[in-house]
Amino acid sequence: MAQTPMNKLREQVLKRGVSSIKRLGRTFRIMDDDRDSGINLEEFQEGLRDYGAELSPEEVKELFTKFDKDGNGTLCFEEFIVAFRGHLNETRLKAVEDAFRKMEKTGDGRITGKDMKGVYNAREHPKYKNGEWTEEQCFMEFLKTFEPDESKRDGVVTLDEFLDYYAGVSADIDNDAHFVLTVRNAWKI
């Protein structure tokens, strides 16, 4: 069975080790020759070639089209990394869902600053300690971690947003047991 261009690229990136996705992110930013925070097909082809990806021009074009979710002919880094990192496998998904359930205290399927109390110690945040922020500001700032798109940020984290965040974390951790341990330790599960 022939390997898809996406699987070929993932395989080549993962062979480079744990920091390879971060390296790919740096490469993506370098690809942006005109510094407009997005890359066109030509920049994408050149960047993948510079990265050392062994893909045909047809495969690169197929990937570009797949990554360009809004069809505007330009990739932003978010489109690229979301498409690249893939989905959580069953083991990882269960760990992330367990963490979400631990944080989500009210039963409404959403994590708010109020839900965070008792799970996240905002009083240890440096800006709380120096009096710059209130405890609530610390919680809201922490929640932004799970809502990277400012235009969609509402201070409430849904399961989908939580899963998206951890899909990104997952892309940098090759071993399921290490990923699960990371999640369990982070949320004291």
Side-chain angles (χ1 to χ4, degrees):
M1 185 164 90
Q3 203 175 22
T4 67
M6 177 67 84
N7 287 339
K8 282 175 75 173
L9 180 59
R10 277 192 188 121
E11 183 179 291
Q12 290 174 37
V13 169
L14 291 175
K15 279 183 184 176
R16 294 174 184 234
V18 173
S19 66
S20 58
I21 290 176
K22 290 178 185 173
R23 184 172 162 206
L24 190 60
R26 283 191 298 273
T27 301
F28 182 93
R29 289 188 256 311
I30 292 167
M31 288 181 206
D32 185 13
D33 291 334
D34 55 11
R35 302 288 180 242
D36 64 354
S37 298
I39 58 174
N40 60 35
L41 177 58
E42 184 179 315
E43 292 170 321
F44 186 63
Q45 288 171 323
E46 185 177 319
L48 286 178
R49 187 175 51 252
D50 291 348
Y51 182 75
E54 297 175 11
L55 298 168
S56 71
E58 294 79 22
E59 290 172 322
V60 171
K61 185 171 170 93
E62 181 181 328
L63 281 174
F64 185 87
T65 302
K66 180 180 181 117
F67 291 158
D68 184 16
K69 295 291 184 196
D70 61 11
N72 69 354
T74 303
L75 294 181
C76 69
F77 183 67
E78 183 70 17
E79 284 177 315
F80 175 70
I81 205 66
V82 166
F84 180 80
R85 69 184 176 207
H87 301 286
L88 297 167
N89 67 28
E90 190 175 324
T91 300
R92 294 174 185 224
L93 179 62
K94 181 183 180 326
V96 174
E97 287 174 336
D98 288 348
F100 185 85
R101 279 192 297 278
K102 179 176 182 179
M103 290 178 48
E104 193 279 303
K105 305 274 188 200
T106 59
D108 63 359
R110 305 165 356 137
I111 298 171
T112 63
K114 184 178 180 181
D115 289 319
M116 299 288 298
K117 292 182 179 168
V119 179
Y120 174 72
N121 188 356
R123 293 182 177 179
E124 292 300 318
H125 194 287
K127 290 191 177 185
Y128 178 84
K129 285 182 170 185
N130 74 15
E132 190 176 334
W133 286 353
T134 65
E135 193 172 4
E136 183 65 23
Q137 284 173 306
C138 292
F139 286 130
M140 296 309 291
E141 200 60 33
F142 182 68
L143 288 174
K144 287 179 183 178
T145 305
F146 303 99
E147 296 184 297
D149 184 347
E150 274 187 55
S151 69
K152 297 178 183 174
R153 192 176 293 155
D154 59 4
V156 175
V157 178
T158 64
L159 177 59
D160 284 343
E161 289 168 331
F162 200 70
L163 291 171
D164 282 346
Y165 171 80
Y166 273 104
V169 173
S170 176
D172 266 346
I173 301 175
D174 295 335
N175 181 285
D176 283 351
H178 182 225
F179 176 83
V180 170
L181 183 64
T182 299
V183 172
R184 294 180 68 75
N185 285 343
W187 303 109
K188 296 176 179 67
I189 300 173

